[in-house]
Amino acid sequence: MTVRAWAELLRVSALFTVPGDALAGAAAMGRRPDRGTALAVGASLCLYEAGMALNDWADRDEDAVDRPHRPIPSGRIAPGAALAAAGALTAAGLALAARAGRPALAVATGLAATVWAYDLRLKHTPAGPAAMAAARGLDLLLGATATGAAKRAAGPGARTGPGSGSGSRTGKGSRAASGSRAASASGSHAGSASASHARGVVRAALPAAGLLGAHTYAVTAVSRHEAQGGSTAAPLAALAATAALGAAALRERRGPGDASPDAGRDRKGESHRSHRPPATPASIAPRLLRTALTGSYFRTAAVPLIHAALNPSPPLTQRAVGGGIRAMIPLQAALAARAGAAGSGLAVMGLVPLARTLARKVSLT
């Protein structure tokens, strides 16, 4: 077992497509990345690599025929070692998520279950692409739930009244019981508030998670033909999905006040167009950035898909899958910029050169 063999097994060149999930999730919540976001990134990386190791373990017999050069069928890595790595990485990912709070752990648990279900049972069924789409969406939600978790956890507990601890100082049982009841009520309220906030997080981040999941679904559908080729329908469908997703990413995100049913109505009850403020460099720059990021996404995903549709050979189909995987990065960046986090979007795009360089050494598929 060599470092090169493990790099191929874990497809380390695809790792750069993972951090953007958590950053896009944080942006969807309108929050800056923090310690919770970093924990979400670490958990996502571990769970992603667990899925890679488990995938090759589950497909070892199939790879012995179609891809004998892969680490397990070529004998460079033992099947048991790959399975053990998948288990250890899953445990590490869940441990990191647990440090970001209960909501993050709950999402990470669902993500881990989806990854294992896909690799062991769903991959070769019609539910396979949907499972992969759910995994990507959950990964974005993991970043959304983990970001700001430390502040939420410290908030209720940090509020102590002037009489806190009075029962222990006076020694009176009644005051001690009163303090106990107050603490219990406070804990119950905090738990209810945490659950309510978690639901709010999911609702706020769900649109971005849906867009990322839809892209994943399209790429996974193409990947089902990468070993033998022969399908033009899958690349064409993925190309249409890419165009639709690009259009959705370009659309400005509606603010909470934009959906008011009374907005834009005058005193007579007739709707009218509100006058937009004049365009300024500060207002134009975010649109230009979003357009550039979306254009990068479309170019990265669409060009190899067109080639695969014209000639659905295994090499071109594999190249289309690789392009779809790499396109995750500009899509994540576009989603972050769409939510108003231009800095996060640019940071995610900074991973593109690294991913491209490593992909020349280790295949994405």
Side-chain angles (χ1 to χ4, degrees):
M1 292 187 292
T2 64
V3 174
R4 170 77 184 190
W6 280 103
E8 290 182 19
L9 178 79
L10 299 176
R11 295 174 175 84
V12 294
S13 57
L15 276 178
F16 297 102
T17 69
V18 177
D21 289 346
L23 291 174
M29 293 303 300
R31 293 180 176 273
R32 291 184 177 181
D34 57 12
R35 175 179 175 273
T37 315
L39 289 171
V41 170
S44 297
L45 291 171
C46 289
L47 294 176
Y48 188 84
E49 292 293 47
M52 291 297 185
L54 185 63
N55 175 77
D56 273 29
W57 178 84
D59 288 350
R60 61 193 184 278
D61 294 333
E62 180 181 335
D63 286 344
V65 178
D66 296 330
R67 295 179 172 184
H69 61 280
R70 293 294 300 163
I72 293 179
S74 65
R76 289 177 291 159
I77 293 180
L83 183 60
L89 287 165
T90 300
L94 293 177
L96 288 171
R99 297 187 62 185
R102 290 182 181 178
L105 177 59
V107 175
T109 301
L111 174 57
T114 303
V115 168
W116 280 72
Y118 172 81
D119 284 334
L120 298 181
R121 182 70 62 179
L122 301 177
K123 182 177 182 179
H124 300 292
T125 71
M132 282 295 290
R136 271 291 175 173
L138 286 169
D139 203 31
L140 188 145
L141 294 178
L142 175 58
T145 53
T147 303
K151 293 181 181 179
R152 295 193 299 271
R159 300 191 190 99
T160 55
S164 61
S166 60
S168 61
R169 290 196 300 270
T170 61
K172 294 183 179 181
S174 61
R175 292 191 180 185
S178 176
S180 176
R181 289 193 298 270
S184 177
S186 175
S188 176
H189 175 73
S192 176
S194 177
S196 177
H197 183 273
R199 290 191 294 270
V201 167
V202 172
R203 285 194 297 268
L206 204 55
L211 293 177
L212 196 60
H215 173 77
T216 305
Y217 186 102
V219 175
T220 306
V222 176
S223 72
R224 295 162 79 91
H225 306 278
E226 63 180 340
Q228 299 174 350
S231 173
T232 58
L236 287 174
L239 185 61
T242 299
L245 292 171
L250 278 175
R251 193 175 303 123
E252 290 191 24
R253 188 180 179 186
R254 291 169 64 97
D258 293 341
S260 172
D262 296 325
R265 294 187 178 274
D266 58 16
R267 285 176 297 180
K268 296 181 180 180
E270 296 177 356
S271 61
H272 62 83
R273 293 178 177 269
S274 60
H275 295 286
R276 292 185 177 181
T280 63
S283 65
I284 294 175
R287 299 176 188 174
L288 292 177
L289 176 61
R290 192 167 63 248
T291 301
L293 294 175
T294 304
S296 176
Y297 160 68
F298 186 78
R299 180 182 179 278
T300 304
V303 172
L305 284 172
I306 293 173
H307 293 163
L310 294 175
N311 179 13
S313 62
L316 290 181
T317 303
Q318 291 171 15
R319 194 172 300 173
V321 174
I325 295 173
R326 290 193 302 273
M328 293 279 186
I329 299 176
L331 178 57
Q332 294 158 346
L335 292 175
R338 178 173 177 259
S344 293
L346 292 173
V348 172
M349 281 302 290
L351 299 174
V352 170
L354 299 174
R356 185 181 295 119
T357 300
L358 197 54
R360 297 191 186 105
K361 300 179 181 180
V362 181
S363 174
L364 285 166
T365 61

